[in-house]
Amino acid sequence: MSIQKRKITYYNIIFKNAEDNFFDNNLFFMFVDFLNSLNSDEKTFRDDKNKKAVSIESIEKMKKEGMDFLKIVFKSCKYNHFPDYMSSMDGSERPTDKRKHEGDKELTHMMMRVDANEAYTIFEERRNGVTIGGVIKYFNQILKEFFRINKVDDKTYFWAGNIPPEDFLDSLDKARRINVADIFLHESILGSEGLKLVTDEGFDCREELVLTMKSKRGESIRKAAIKKLHSKIYASGTKLARIRLYGRDIDNMDITLDSLNQKKKREIIVELRENGTVDTYSIFARMEELFGVTE
């Protein structure tokens, strides 16, 4: 097999509604099971405006080192585009046998680590494949159908924030605006007087508590305050575990910044099949390496 570099990007996928950002992994996995149960016609979405169709090639659940992962392969095509074939040998042409509703199949790979707070995603960027925007649009179409079939009146939808490849503080400096800050606190803080009531009442809590701060409408949370909190994460005896930020970059695109993130690879080397398409086993093996769960 030949090899090729493939560009990858990182995303934080969560749920949103009119009031809040949140993540519910039970809802997420029910959605995935529902999506996986659909027949080929039901899980194919046509975007007639852009003449593009998106569907699912495969979904694989995986558990490693106590963590839940998903490997999803999307397939897509551009239809209503069927010009004549041209020979690369002599320039001769012949009519195509492609039908109007057909297009060249393109695969796009994504791998998710699904935990209590997010679906952390490594995504294969393909010019001819499906984009992350197309994935979220596709997921939201299926989610609406999931709610309809289960007779649930819910306006929840999927949202994806790009995670920049730079370190946390570098990305923070480049951010245009920070709208929401999630401050993760160690469970031990529940022993303090201010929160003792929670444990006394028998609440069943995760190992981390999350304090969410939101900016005033049209304003941004001060970067200096965020940097001060960030420095305390590394201070001895701190009760802070992590900071996650939601905001906009200089191009006004959604971004997610996380103090746990280190600098990330922008490209991976994958193997190609004889027909020039990416070998699925090869690309997922590289993504597993980035998640640090190789065998």
Side-chain angles (χ1 to χ4, degrees):
M1 288 185 179
S2 60
I3 61 173
Q4 188 180 80
K5 289 183 179 180
R6 275 289 198 264
K7 182 181 177 183
I8 54 170
T9 48
Y10 301 79
Y11 294 92
N12 154 259
I13 295 179
I14 58 171
F15 293 108
K16 277 195 172 189
N17 55 32
E19 299 177 352
D20 209 359
N21 304 331
F22 69 97
F23 191 73
D24 183 333
N25 55 6
N26 290 326
L27 172 60
F28 185 83
F29 280 117
M30 284 192 293
F31 164 79
V32 170
D33 289 340
F34 173 75
L35 174 56
N36 220 7
S37 72
L38 299 177
N39 61 42
S40 180
D41 178 60
E42 292 170 329
K43 61 186 176 187
T44 299
F45 171 66
R46 286 166 52 98
D47 180 356
D48 288 328
K49 180 180 179 181
N50 295 305
K51 301 297 185 288
K52 194 150 192 174
V54 179
S55 189
I56 296 289
E57 175 88 349
S58 64
I59 300 177
E60 178 189 351
K61 291 182 180 179
M62 181 183 82
K63 199 174 189 74
K64 281 193 175 183
E65 299 180 16
M67 296 179 287
D68 293 307
F69 294 91
L70 284 176
K71 296 176 180 178
I72 304 178
V73 184
F74 291 91
K75 59 182 179 180
S76 60
C77 73
K78 186 86 171 177
Y79 56 90
N80 276 19
H81 182 73
F82 47 105
D84 291 346
Y85 288 124
M86 173 182 142
S87 170
S88 62
M89 304 297 291
D90 58 13
S92 61
E93 300 178 25
R94 68 177 177 86
T96 180
D97 55 1
K98 186 189 298 184
R99 298 173 183 174
K100 186 176 181 180
H101 64 273
E102 295 176 328
D104 294 336
K105 175 183 171 182
E106 300 285 350
L107 297 183
T108 306
H109 300 79
M110 69 187 299
M111 185 171 175
M112 299 175 166
R113 184 191 66 224
V114 184
D115 58 30
N117 300 299
E118 65 188 342
Y120 185 91
T121 302
I122 298 176
F123 188 76
E124 177 192 15
E125 292 287 344
R126 295 289 321 283
R127 183 180 63 182
N128 294 325
V130 61
T131 65
I132 191 66
V135 167
I136 296 302
K137 188 174 183 179
Y138 175 82
F139 278 176
N140 282 326
Q141 289 287 334
I142 303 295
L143 185 62
K144 286 180 182 178
E145 184 65 9
F146 171 77
F147 287 144
R148 186 190 69 80
I149 287 178
N150 287 282
K151 296 181 171 57
V152 176
D153 183 16
D154 197 322
K155 304 302 181 185
T156 292
Y157 59 94
F158 281 102
W159 178 92
N162 177 253
I163 301 175
E166 297 88 0
D167 284 333
F168 178 78
L169 293 178
D170 291 338
S171 299
L172 177 60
D173 285 334
K174 295 176 182 178
R176 177 171 172 262
R177 177 182 296 176
I178 301 299
N179 302 318
V180 178
D182 287 337
I183 313 300
F184 292 75
L185 307 170
H186 288 297
E187 184 186 29
S188 58
I189 200 171
L190 282 173
S192 66
E193 285 299 319
L195 292 173
K196 191 170 184 298
L197 177 64
V198 175
T199 51
D200 286 346
E201 294 300 324
F203 283 91
D204 184 16
C205 298
R206 297 171 181 160
E207 292 182 358
E208 292 178 331
L209 302 176
V210 183
L211 174 65
T212 298
M213 298 185 294
K214 298 180 180 180
S215 65
K216 294 180 180 179
R217 185 177 296 274
E219 297 184 10
S220 175
I221 297 174
R222 290 189 303 114
K223 294 181 181 180
I226 296 170
K227 290 179 179 179
K228 188 173 181 180
L229 278 174
H230 181 265
S231 67
K232 289 185 177 181
I233 289 178
Y234 300 98
S236 176
T238 181
K239 303 295 184 182
L240 294 173
R242 176 184 178 193
I243 303 173
R244 185 173 61 196
L245 310 173
Y246 300 98
R248 296 282 183 130
D249 64 13
I250 57 174
D251 297 316
N252 207 34
M253 300 295 290
D254 291 326
I255 55 171
T256 301
L257 310 182
D258 198 312
S259 63
L260 290 184
N261 295 327
Q262 303 298 320
K263 284 187 177 179
K264 305 174 188 63
K265 288 187 177 180
R266 297 172 183 262
E267 294 178 327
I268 52 178
I269 296 176
V270 299
E271 295 178 351
L272 302 180
R273 298 189 181 97
E274 290 185 4
N275 63 1
T277 62
V278 170
D279 179 71
T280 292
Y281 177 85
S282 169
I283 191 168
F284 280 137
R286 302 290 85 76
M287 288 181 175
E288 284 187 42
E289 289 175 1
L290 296 178
F291 277 116
V293 292
T294 54
E295 295 180 346

